[in-house]
Amino acid sequence: AVVSTQSAHYGRAIKKPEPVEKPAEKPAKTEPFSFASLAANAEKAAFAAKNSPQKSPVKVSDGDAYREDGYEPDVQFEPIVKLDKVEISSGTENEDDKFTHRCKLYRFDKESSQWKERGLGDISVMWNKREGKGRVLMRREQILKLCCNHLITAEMELKPHQGNDKFLVWHTFADFAEEEPKFEQLAARFKTAEIAGRFKAAFEECQQNLGK
């Protein structure tokens, strides 16, 4: 049936459609849970994974060769410039080591009138057979910087410092530890008097053989 109403402005009837009833939706059909259906679904998933196409090789970047996932290429690069082996001179190739032992070295500072530590390391008495010369050489531990480097001369004399036989004092007119020759009054303190005595013996042996 169609209901007609009279429009006040246009003087004609307006038809209103009757409401249409929507059919009721049927509830979704659900299957009851069972272990048999669960096993069947797992078997279907395994079959699908087995028969699925394999992934194509992966390209890392433009210009690179294709490779399979997880492959690590073994790449080796040859040096562009080959450097020749260089022999480094230590400066002691022509010298014999007459004595080497660990000690603490001091220098006397005239401005403050006190002894100042110069370094801790191995002090050596070296003898050059070709030139008939001896020298005292010492480098600081770890950094290996020179803290004593002077020739042994005839006028040098080793003396115990204030009666301490482990603490020997001497002077040199030209110590090259700082590259420029410099007058220094030095003192070496050893662990025992016996070690200090061996240092003094090697020192005086060089003095006796100077020029020979």
Side-chain angles (χ1 to χ4, degrees), residues 138-202:
M138 181 175 175
R139 294 181 182 273
R140 295 184 179 94
E141 287 184 344
Q142 297 181 351
I143 61 174
L144 301 179
K145 183 179 179 181
L146 283 172
C147 58
C148 181
N149 182 24
H150 67 80
L151 292 174
I152 297 175
T153 58
E155 68 274 5
M156 293 179 179
E157 184 178 1
L158 295 178
K159 295 180 179 181
H161 178 62
Q162 297 180 352
N164 188 347
D165 292 334
K166 297 187 295 184
F167 208 154
L168 299 179
V169 180
W170 73 98
H171 70 273
T172 173
F173 289 100
D175 180 57
F176 290 86
E178 303 294 336
E179 295 184 0
E180 295 293 331
K182 183 180 179 181
F183 174 86
E184 293 285 4
Q185 188 172 3
L186 303 172
R189 188 177 68 183
F190 296 92
K191 187 176 181 180
T192 65
E194 187 270 334
I195 298 173
R198 289 195 285 116
F199 171 73
K200 183 178 180 182

Side-chain angles (χ1 to χ4, degrees), residues 73-149:
D74 184 13
V75 182
Q76 297 181 358
F77 297 95
E78 294 293 334
I80 299 176
V81 179
K82 293 185 177 180
L83 301 177
D84 296 331
K85 186 177 180 180
V86 178
E87 296 291 340
I88 300 176
S89 175
S90 64
T92 60
E93 289 79 10
N94 299 323
E95 294 176 312
D96 294 333
D97 188 348
K98 296 295 184 179
F99 172 89
T100 295
H101 207 282
R102 194 169 184 262
C103 79
K104 185 174 287 187
L105 187 71
Y106 298 85
R107 60 175 291 271
F108 187 77
D109 184 50
K110 292 182 179 180
E111 295 182 359
S112 60
S113 297
Q114 61 182 358
W115 291 98
K116 291 188 176 181
E117 184 177 335
R118 196 169 196 182
L120 177 67
D122 287 339
I123 190 169
S124 300
V125 176
M126 311 297 294
W127 176 253
N128 190 318
K129 292 181 180 180
R130 295 181 181 180
E131 300 180 3
K133 295 179 180 180
R135 66 169 174 157
V136 179
L137 181 67
M138 181 175 175
R139 294 181 182 273
R140 295 184 179 94
E141 287 184 344
Q142 297 181 351
I143 61 174
L144 301 179
K145 183 179 179 181
L146 283 172
C147 58
C148 181
N149 182 24

Side-chain angles (χ1 to χ4, degrees), residues 33-52:
F33 172 80
S34 67
F35 288 101
S37 62
L38 181 62
N41 292 335
E43 184 177 355
K44 289 180 181 180
F47 179 80
K50 182 178 180 181
N51 293 276
S52 61

Side-chain angles (χ1 to χ4, degrees), residues 2-16:
V2 178
V3 180
S4 299
T5 59
Q6 190 70 25
S7 174
H9 297 284
Y10 301 100
R12 61 181 180 180
I14 299 176
K15 296 180 179 180
K16 291 184 178 181

